């Protein structure tokens, strides 16, 4: 049952997404046969529905349209090569277990990126609803500008078909389930009926155009001839110069596609107490892309909406995907002539309604509430995606999120400490009534030291020493330091040197075992003046230095 | 005295660095008058010697030569505009206190970058030693290739002058101080004499060319006419399109220049227990660049070698810089005709010897010893600078260092804990003999949660739940969590949802005050199922959940 429902969704979506990618509709169907079977054999998720998705299709369109004209045979063969490269990259990443790097994208970046990409995809489809031609662009604002310029040329019949299709799709997905529920129809039937909106729209609009001859009389754009028969099996072209041109796009699509796929696979798996192996997933998705490359398809990945439907419809094993693949194969073998009169506006409406579900601005507000940094990151990513493009947008968002994170961790908590009464305890002098002695500065730093915070520590120590002209010894309390990197070590070494010039000796206390090993191995302890400069406890350090 | 020694160094260096930047030699002298005075008035370092430096000059050359031909009046006016933009950027960064971002470059990146840039600068000067013309490039390998191709055209006399100058400079800096020390000459005189190598080379080679007429007979490249008189005062050209073209270069040079300057200023200040205000430094360097822009100069910053000399020669106040500026002004007023016969090969030798001091490959080995990640970062930066360019090299190095850091912090220590005997203490089940109960999983995470590690935690929890089918409750011990960002919160929310579907209730214990505030404010606690899902201690949580 799950396999059939997913096939009902996938037939129109596959054709629509292929169109979004600038490819003939059959390519979307070809990409929905062998890739599904390969993923079913190799993947660790039992419910992930692999195939063409909106985001990847847009990325294919934006990258290939810089190199060739949609509709050319060059364009088509580049899509195959792109799928091949993506397959190889994903398999390689899986083998060297690099799957974890998708975790480095923060939710703020993903949210800003998804909203931005949904708007770009949405606006890129409006031309089909209006029945106009506009120059290709990946900037939201440029597309909008071109649409407004082309508005006077809009085709009324096409627009009516597009708007009608959109309303029908919304009725199927939003209103029909409520009606069926009121009439006490069973869950499985409700799901099958409400998901067949796209198929209904495809059938109705095709019939309308066929019966009324709108393609000839009103110039409505139609899909036209789709070759009948199983996908052609061929080796995609691959030269070094072609690979170089396509590599940036292949990397971006691998990354984005894997990110979408792993997110939905993990979420669905944990709802059934199953677990997902990210590296094996990469290998399975890579194999699916290789399958697409050799059977006339284009890049595929695990899609969000179809996977959720597959899961809800009760898919328990990979059998569901194999049933879907068999049904799609049947369609390309027998039924493609039926799609001749299918209007492009109907496919555009299917894409529009699908990506509208990706828009989630409340998420951006929620991030803003949690922290200003997350909000700014999301908005920066969103703006960069709209204004420049998806790849640049993700890169900009990643950079901003990292800068905020470095900014936050680059100012660790540092305190001068003093002795509590006659105990062996030392506490922050600003919070507790403690004793200090004029010749010894005891400073505690509450963080591991690394490149982004070691100079902050050095500045703090310089300032502390400048404010205490009587100090001749500095004790750095290292109880909270779990790790020191090369930069921090270099900064500390320079500081020890500079302080020595200024007549101040640096001592360490409470150094953890692994850190002490590192300090000895790298010669820092010798640089400091030998092991007698390191004290086991702050108490020992202060008593030794107070009464020399 | 310090002011005079610095002036002796600065006269030949200023001309040489201007030549490195593709500018007429007097521009280097003009950049050494007003900027020094402005920095002296506004800067917080008492010993920083501002003026033209090698790295900035190379960056000026690589960025401007893409837009104009060295020697054109366009090229010259763009250098002024660049100084203007850099001045404005630095002042802006100073006003909004962004000085700390230079701390985000790790020592590994700086080391790889400095070695790479020194090699690029060095190899770019070899054409002057050989007396050949080669096409401009910023790739080390391309320059080397062009040099080898041009080798047969090398000018023997020029080469002899260049090699002779280099040897003389090395003798002054390496051998002469030892001789003078043996002869018990005083420190100040030794310093003044050993630093006058460049001036000696300039004087000797100029005399040689003048007396022997090598510029005419052997085609030795000479400096030629230098206009006499104080620098011209003029407003640099500034249009929006010019600013857009120069902005990337201006940002890179601001950043690199400030990084070099602040490093030496801080090191020298801490040796005398003084302190440096990074934001005020930015404003002072910005003012110095504005000064250069309006008086026919080009971008300046605080240089390493001259500042160290200034410090060692006993500069105690900003007066030393003002004396230097007055001496340079005297030179441009009166002595420029003396430089007519100065061979370019001598200036190239001065640059070569100066940048050779920047090479430090032992530092790269040291970083490699401290950690492989630092070593790889340094080598990546080095290779990117050599192969592509300085700006790209720094960006690539920064990215690699951040990825390594995220990689290290993205796998926090997480442990399942159990109860120690009948106490209220809970410890790692893998290290201690503890009791657990089948229905309750108690997990402790030893790190704040943020975008790069929250999915690792989620995977760990999914795995733990998949391995314990009897569990119906999960207690997340939050004692070590100081902060949760928006991504981590989103991940936790999705996890709570997925676990609820799987029949597992999530509880928290030992949540810190500020984290609890955040969780309440963002509605996470409501999402969790209300305040009764949060326990003050793990002991309370386990006893409540064990005996429901």
């Amino acid at each position: 049952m799950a396999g059939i429902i997913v096939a009902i969704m996938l037939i129109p979506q596959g054709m629509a997404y292929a169109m979004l990618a600038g490819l003939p509709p059959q390519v979307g169907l070809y990409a929905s046969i062998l890739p599904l079977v390969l993923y079913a054999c190799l993947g660790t998720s039992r419910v992930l529905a692999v195939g063409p998705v909106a985001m990847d299709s847009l990325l294919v369109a934006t990258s290939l349209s810089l190199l060739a004209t949609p509709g050319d045979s060059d364009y088509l063969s580049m899509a195959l090569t792109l799928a091949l490269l993506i397959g190889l990259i994903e398999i390689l990443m899986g083998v060297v277990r690099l799957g974890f790097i998708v975790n480095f994208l923060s939710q703020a970046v993903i949210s800003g990126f998804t909203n931005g990409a949904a708007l770009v995809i949405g606006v890129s489809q409006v031309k089909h609803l209006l029945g106009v031609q506009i120059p290709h662009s990946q900037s939201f604002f440029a597309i909008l500008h071109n649409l407004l310029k082309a508005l006077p040329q809009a085709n009324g019949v096409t627009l009516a078909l597009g708007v009608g299709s959109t309303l029908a799709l919304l009725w199927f997905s939003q209103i029909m389930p409520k009606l069926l529920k009121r009439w006490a129809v069973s869950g499985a039937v409700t799901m099958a009926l409400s998901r067949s909106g796209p198929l209904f729209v495809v059938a109705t609009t095709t019939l309308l155009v066929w019966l009324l001859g709108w393609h000839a009389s009103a110039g409505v754009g139609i899909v036209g001839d789709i070759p009948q028969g199983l996908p052609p099996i061929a080796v995609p072209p691959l030269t070094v110069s072609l690979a170089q041109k396509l590599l940036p796009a292949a990397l971006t699509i691998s990354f984005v596609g894997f990110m979408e796929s792993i997110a939905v696979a993990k979420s669905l798996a944990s709802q059934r107490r199953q677990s997902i192996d990210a590296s094996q997933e990469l290998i399975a998705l890579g194999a699916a892309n290789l399958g697409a490359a050799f059977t006339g398809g284009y890049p595929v990945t695990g899609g969000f909406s179809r996977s959720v439907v597959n899961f809800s419809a009760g898919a328990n094993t990979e059998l569901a995907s194999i049933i879907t693949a068999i049904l799609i194969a049947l369609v390309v073998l027998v039924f493609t002539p039926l799609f001749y009169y299918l209007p492009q506006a109907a496919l555009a409406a299917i894409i529009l309604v699908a990506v509208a579900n990706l828009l989630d601005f409340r998420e951006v507000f929620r991030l803003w509430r949690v922290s200003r940094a997350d909000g700014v990151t999301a908005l920066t990513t969103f703006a960069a995606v709209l204004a420049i493009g998806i790849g640049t947008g993700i890169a900009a968002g990643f950079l901003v999120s990292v800068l905020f994170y470095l900014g936050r961790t680059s100012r660790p908590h540092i305190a001068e400490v003093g002795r509590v009464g006659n105990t062996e305890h030392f506490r922050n002098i600003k919070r507790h009534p403690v004793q200090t002695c004029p010749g010894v500065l005891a400073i505690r730093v509450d963080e591991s030291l690394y490149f982004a915070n070691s100079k902050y520590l050095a500045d703090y120590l310089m300032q502390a020493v400048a404010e205490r002209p009587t100090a001749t010894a500095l004790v750095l309390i290292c109880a909270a330091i779990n790790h020191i990197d090369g930069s921090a070590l270099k900064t500390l070494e320079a500081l020890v040197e500079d302080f020595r010039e200024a007549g101040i000796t640096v001592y360490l206390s409470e150094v953890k075992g692994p850190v002490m090993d590192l300090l000895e191995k790298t010669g820092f302890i010798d640089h400091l003046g030998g092991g007698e400069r390191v004290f086991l406890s702050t108490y020992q350090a202060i008593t030794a230095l107070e009464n020399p």
Side-chain angles (χ1 to χ4, degrees), chain A:
Chain A
M1 187 69 195
I4 295 168
I5 296 178
V6 171
I8 290 174
M9 291 174 74
L10 188 48
I11 296 162
Q13 278 188 356
M15 292 195 287
Y17 292 155
M19 190 175 83
L20 168 58
L23 295 161
Q26 68 270 21
V27 172
L29 298 175
Y30 296 163
S32 310
I33 305 172
L34 186 60
L36 274 67
V37 177
L38 288 172
Y39 179 83
C41 298
L42 292 168
T44 59
S45 166
R46 298 182 198 168
V47 296
L48 191 71
V50 168
V53 303
M55 201 86 78
D56 279 18
S57 301
L58 178 73
L59 285 167
V60 168
T62 54
S63 50
L64 292 190
S65 58
L66 297 174
L67 304 168
T69 314
D72 282 9
S73 65
D74 258 16
Y75 191 95
L76 199 58
S77 68
M78 277 190 201
L80 296 176
T81 308
L82 196 54
L84 176 68
L85 289 176
I86 291 169
L88 294 176
I89 291 170
E90 288 180 337
I91 290 174
L92 186 70
M93 282 177 65
V95 170
V96 300
R97 311 193 72 78
L98 267 180
F100 68 90
I101 66 162
V102 290
N103 294 349
F104 292 176
L105 278 196
S106 74
Q107 182 56 31
V109 175
I110 295 172
S111 174
F113 155 72
T114 309
N115 280 309
L119 282 185
V120 176
I121 296 173
V123 79
S124 78
Q125 293 308 300
V126 176
K127 65 179 176 190
H128 295 297
L129 293 193
L130 296 174
V132 297
Q133 299 280 338
I134 59 168
H136 188 87
S137 169
Q138 49 170 326
S139 152
F140 176 80
F141 304 107
I143 299 174
L144 208 58
H145 176 241
N146 288 331
L147 281 175
L148 289 174
K149 262 203 324 206
L151 201 54
Q153 281 87 50
N155 181 315
V157 179
T158 304
L159 186 57
L161 271 175
V163 172
S165 301
T166 308
L167 292 176
L169 289 167
L170 290 175
W171 187 83
F172 266 90
S173 65
Q174 307 297 321
I175 298 176
M176 188 204 243
K178 289 178 195 156
L179 287 180
L180 292 177
K181 197 175 172 191
R182 198 180 306 158
W183 299 337
V185 177
S186 84
V189 175
T190 300
M191 170 163 288
L193 284 176
S194 67
R195 299 296 169 175
S196 59
L199 202 68
F200 169 82
V201 163
V202 164
T204 316
T205 55
T206 304
L207 270 174
L208 269 176
V209 173
W210 178 50
L211 293 174
L212 302 172
W214 279 343
H215 61 294
S217 62
V220 168
I222 57 170
V223 163
D225 267 326
I226 299 183
Q228 210 168 345
L230 282 180
I233 294 177
V235 179
L238 185 65
T239 63
V240 172
S241 76
L242 187 60
Q244 274 181 339
K245 278 187 217 157
L246 292 175
L247 197 61
L251 286 170
T252 309
I253 298 175
S254 307
F255 191 80
V256 171
F258 177 60
M259 189 177 76
E260 178 172 359
S261 183
I262 194 82
V264 63
K266 276 188 189 169
S267 168
L268 297 178
S270 68
Q271 291 183 30
R272 289 203 189 139
R273 294 194 177 207
Q274 294 155 357
S275 74
I276 295 292
D277 176 345
S279 301
Q280 183 60 34
E281 279 299 289
L282 272 166
I283 293 171
L285 288 175
N289 273 302
L290 290 186
F294 287 93
T295 58
Y298 80 111
V300 295
T301 192
F304 183 77
S305 56
R306 292 193 304 272
S307 299
V308 171
V309 168
N310 203 21
F311 179 85
S312 321
N316 253 324
T317 66
E318 293 81 354
L319 186 64
S321 286
I322 292 181
I323 290 173
T324 306
I326 292 172
L327 288 173
I328 306 275
L330 200 67
V331 168
V332 298
L333 268 176
V334 182
F335 299 114
T336 54
L338 295 182
F339 299 124
Y340 184 86
Y341 292 103
L342 171 56
Q344 288 173 346
L347 291 180
I350 292 170
I351 296 178
L352 262 183
V353 173
V355 296
N357 292 324
L358 295 177
L359 288 180
D360 185 1
F361 290 106
R362 271 178 312 175
E363 174 69 13
V364 176
F365 289 115
R366 196 191 64 86
L367 286 164
W368 183 272
R369 262 212 328 276
V370 176
S371 87
R372 292 295 168 273
D374 279 330
V376 171
T377 305
L379 290 176
T380 308
T381 314
F382 179 68
V385 168
L386 287 193
I388 312 173
I390 290 184
T392 316
I394 293 186
F398 172 70
L399 194 68
V400 171
S401 67
V402 164
L403 287 180
F404 272 118
Y405 177 70
L406 292 182
R408 187 156 52 75
T409 60
S410 68
R411 290 145 191 251
H413 183 241
I414 307 176
E416 186 186 344
V417 299
R419 189 170 166 191
V420 180
N422 274 322
T423 68
E424 296 188 10
H425 294 293
F426 290 81
R427 291 280 183 280
N428 191 342
I429 58 163
K430 290 196 181 139
R431 296 204 187 167
H432 302 272
V434 292
Q435 300 166 308
T436 58
C437 76
V440 184
L441 256 173
I443 307 274
R444 193 190 70 212
V445 53
D446 292 346
E447 189 88 62
S448 289
L449 299 180
Y450 79 110
F451 62 86
N453 68 15
S454 60
K455 289 199 180 119
Y456 177 83
L457 170 65
D459 287 351
Y460 183 98
L461 296 178
M462 268 170 68
Q463 188 71 36
V465 162
E467 283 170 8
R468 177 86 69 88
T470 54
T472 57
L474 173 78
V475 179
L476 189 62
I477 304 169
C478 306
I481 299 177
N482 293 316
H483 190 270
I484 297 184
D485 78 353
S487 289
L489 206 58
K490 171 89 178 178
T491 305
L492 286 181
E493 262 177 29
L495 200 73
V496 167
E497 195 70 46
D498 291 343
F499 279 171
R500 187 176 295 149
E501 297 280 325
I504 295 171
T505 313
V506 177
Y507 300 86
L508 304 180
S509 74
E510 306 183 42
V511 183
K512 291 188 176 181
V515 174
M516 190 65 189
D517 292 347
L518 182 86
L519 295 180
E520 275 174 346
K521 192 183 74 177
T522 55
F524 181 81
I525 299 296
D526 295 336
H527 184 83
L528 197 65
E532 67 271 24
R533 295 276 156 85
V534 183
F535 292 94
L536 276 182
S537 77
T538 307
Y539 174 71
Q540 288 175 6
I542 301 295
T543 45
L545 297 172
E546 261 180 341
N547 318 300

